[in-house]
Amino acid sequence: MSVSPRPGPPPGPRPGPPPQSWSGDDADAVGHPAVDAVVQAMANAANLAPADQIAQFEAAYQTLRETLATIDQA
């Protein structure tokens, strides 16, 4: 017996608020370039397909781990 995969969401814009434009001068900026870039990447990932979001989350996690490691060494 074979099971066919379940269909995913239809292509096109995703529901929810539009992505926010990120500028380093924004009040939400934390002041660390690597962390600010990760936050921007997470905002941009909202428009990606779920499978592509996973890759963005993994890259963000790795960047944050490396950033924290360098801070701990200082």
Side-chain angles (χ1 to χ4, degrees):
M1 179 167 110
S2 67
V3 177
S4 61
R6 296 188 333 187
R14 297 177 58 113
Q20 297 178 348
S21 173
W22 185 265
S23 68
D25 299 332
D26 198 349
D28 291 335
V30 297
H32 193 286
V35 175
D36 290 341
V38 167
V39 172
Q40 176 60 52
M42 292 295 89
N44 294 339
N47 292 323
L48 299 175
D52 296 330
Q53 288 179 358
I54 293 170
Q56 288 289 332
F57 296 149
E58 289 173 344
Y61 175 72
Q62 182 64 31
T63 299
L64 291 174
R65 284 184 55 126
E66 291 170 0
T67 302
L68 286 173
T70 61
I71 291 170
D72 287 343
Q73 294 172 0

